Amino acid sequence: MVEAHETHVIVGAGLAGAKAAETLRAEGFTGRVILVGEEREAPYERPGLSKGFLTGAASRDDLFVHDSHWYTEHDIELRIGDPATRLDRQSRTLQLADGTVLTYDKLLIATGSAPRTLDVPGIDLGGVHYLRKLPDAERLRASLQTLGRENGRLLLVGAGWIGLEVAAAARGYGAEVTVVEPQPTPLHGVLGPELGEFFARLHEDRGVHFHFGAGVTEIEGEDGMVLAAHTDDGDEHPAHAVLIGIGAAPQTALAEAAGLALAPREEGGGIAVDSALRSSDPDVFAAGDVAAAEHPLFGRRLRVEHWANALNGGPAAARSMLGQPVVYDRVPYFFSDQYDLGLEYSGYAASGSYDHVVVRGDAGKREFIAFWQDPDGRVLAGMNVNVWDVAGGIQQLVRSGRPIDPDRLADPAIPLGEL
């Protein structure tokens, strides 16, 4: 039984934090719940920032996890625009930027991640964008609308998921798009060359220009505005706006200063937690992008930066805070929308971990499922492209750990359930 006088504090008012607060109340916790957020917005979901909201298909209000009255109705103290600055584990206190000191019984860190920055001349010019927060998306959407009206040029640094989704949105507005990427294909480190080439063709068919094997060394401007970007192979790319999309880093400063154990870089960094999302301090938990959790299914620590991890990890951490038995072993999952293509990816197939890729369906028609198999034939991950209601079956294949005959895996006549 959790005492009503206890206080549970959640640092990070994103999806993971909001869902953790919701779960504490749903599980019957009657003590004090405080949700601390760096941003001045109530908790919102980030996928729309590079998808529906950016394209104009979704409104601002569609992004928020709960309406403005929900937190008051559920007696959750929402402190937004007031970031945490210091965690003292010995006294169990958290200091906020305005000087407030909160005392906690259990603490959840769900501070997420922040875009990796590019350190080149011209990075501070107007028209250079990062995309992580709602104001970033509002500014970028206005820029894309202007570029579309004026036949302007957008240059994207990085051909990851964010870069490709923004490229699709920009083409929808009519902007000219060039993508600079040091790898030989988009998503090379995530999907490998086979599927990377598929995404290159998808975007090239829509008029996107790729410049592979190069990195941006300078952003040239005049009167404070972008004119062009220069790459390390000597090329110049005219541009009126630039988006930097070179990955994200977990926001671990608060945890590191407090002496919590961090995961090594080869495990993605982040706060090291066990499968119950407990940190090296039994009263401190972590969830979402910032957490590097022991994953029983994959036998290693994983840090996952996707929506589903925040959606499911926040509630799991809340239950763990309440002393319930928790084993967080969800199969990693994410989705993407680009033009008329939708996809879901389930599993974990790190670069070098898989032996081959099996395709079920017609990649030429952009309706297929791709499977990444290890040398023993086990399915590490699967991605369904414009094929729906199969993600559950793919996750069962991943979870089973059973070797699957590649020919049977490729045969659309054999239901996934039979495998």
Side-chain angles (χ1 to χ4, degrees):
M1 180 67 67
V2 177
E3 298 294 338
H5 58 74
E6 288 191 355
T7 297
H8 287 4
V9 176
I10 302 166
V11 185
L15 178 60
K19 285 296 182 181
E22 177 184 329
T23 303
L24 288 174
R25 290 296 185 229
E27 293 292 330
F29 178 64
T30 57
R32 190 179 179 193
V33 177
I34 308 173
L35 182 56
V36 177
E38 176 185 36
E39 298 183 54
R40 296 187 179 278
E41 302 286 352
Y44 58 88
E45 301 190 33
R46 298 188 191 276
L49 301 186
S50 60
K51 298 180 180 71
F53 179 75
L54 192 62
T55 64
S59 72
R60 196 178 196 277
D61 290 343
D62 292 334
L63 300 174
F64 291 94
V65 181
H66 299 294
D67 63 43
S68 57
H69 304 293
W70 184 90
Y71 300 94
T72 301
E73 291 169 354
H74 290 80
D75 195 22
I76 293 168
E77 300 174 44
L78 184 60
R79 301 185 64 107
I80 54 178
D82 193 11
T85 57
R86 185 172 182 270
L87 169 61
D88 187 326
R89 297 191 291 120
Q90 185 172 2
S91 63
R92 292 190 186 179
T93 57
L94 182 76
Q95 184 169 330
L96 308 185
D98 70 353
T100 300
V101 176
L102 303 174
T103 300
Y104 66 85
D105 292 284
K106 303 291 183 185
L107 179 82
L108 171 62
I109 301 177
T111 45
S113 57
R116 297 187 187 278
T117 57
L118 186 66
D119 185 15
V120 298
I123 197 67
D124 295 325
L125 289 167
V128 176
H129 300 263
Y130 290 91
L131 182 55
R132 175 64 184 176
K133 300 177 180 179
L134 181 50
D136 299 334
E138 291 176 320
R139 179 171 168 255
L140 179 60
R141 185 169 73 169
S143 178
L144 296 184
Q145 291 169 337
T146 300
L147 292 176
R149 286 194 303 268
E150 300 178 358
N151 200 29
R153 296 175 177 270
L154 172 69
L155 184 127
L156 292 161
V157 183
W161 294 112
I162 292 293
L164 296 186
E165 290 175 356
V166 172
R171 291 299 294 142
Y173 286 110
E176 295 296 316
V177 177
T178 297
V179 182
V180 175
E181 166 60 50
Q183 296 294 323
T185 71
L187 302 166
H188 194 271
V190 181
L191 303 181
E194 302 91 344
L195 273 297
E197 291 176 1
F198 168 83
F199 281 96
R201 290 193 299 272
L202 170 71
H203 285 268
E204 287 168 346
D205 288 349
R206 300 292 184 129
V208 174
H209 304 283
F210 286 99
H211 189 78
F212 293 116
V216 170
T217 56
E218 180 185 0
I219 301 173
E220 179 185 350
E222 185 176 283
D223 297 329
M225 300 306 294
V226 170
L227 289 179
H230 297 264
T231 52
D232 53 14
D233 56 2
D235 277 9
E236 177 180 307
H237 302 274
H240 304 99
V242 175
L243 173 76
I244 312 299
I246 55 174
Q251 298 199 87
T252 59
L254 185 73
E256 186 173 6
L260 291 172
L262 302 183
R265 185 170 183 175
E266 58 268 22
E267 294 179 347
I271 302 171
V273 294
D274 63 15
S275 60
L277 304 181
R278 288 181 296 251
S279 76
S280 54
D281 182 326
D283 294 322
V284 179
F285 302 74
D289 289 14
V290 77
E294 291 286 354
H295 201 293
L297 181 61
F298 296 99
R300 56 159 293 168
R301 203 182 296 277
L302 292 184
R303 190 177 71 81
V304 180
E305 294 179 352
H306 298 299
W307 165 85
N309 186 45
L311 179 72
N312 299 307
R319 295 185 179 98
S320 194
M321 293 167 77
L322 295 175
Q324 297 179 15
V326 169
V327 177
Y328 187 64
D329 62 352
R330 290 263 182 171
V331 174
Y333 166 92
F334 66 85
F335 68 98
S336 181
D337 298 315
Q338 300 168 37
Y339 311 110
D340 55 357
L341 181 143
L343 67 88
E344 298 172 298
Y345 179 103
S346 300
Y348 178 74
S351 178
S353 67
Y354 67 93
D355 182 69
H356 56 272
V357 179
V358 174
V359 174
R360 166 186 287 230
D362 193 336
K365 292 182 179 179
R366 293 172 182 162
E367 295 181 1
F368 64 95
I369 308 173
F371 299 94
W372 285 259
Q373 287 188 289
D374 70 8
D376 296 324
R378 291 174 295 207
V379 176
L380 302 177
M383 182 175 71
N384 48 300
V385 177
N386 285 343
V387 176
W388 303 110
D389 301 322
V390 295
I394 293 171
Q395 292 187 19
Q396 287 176 2
L397 286 176
V398 172
R399 190 173 289 281
S400 76
R402 294 174 56 189
I404 307 293
D405 182 342
D407 291 335
R408 288 172 56 80
L409 194 59
D411 188 349
I414 301 175
L416 294 182
E418 289 188 14
L419 299 176

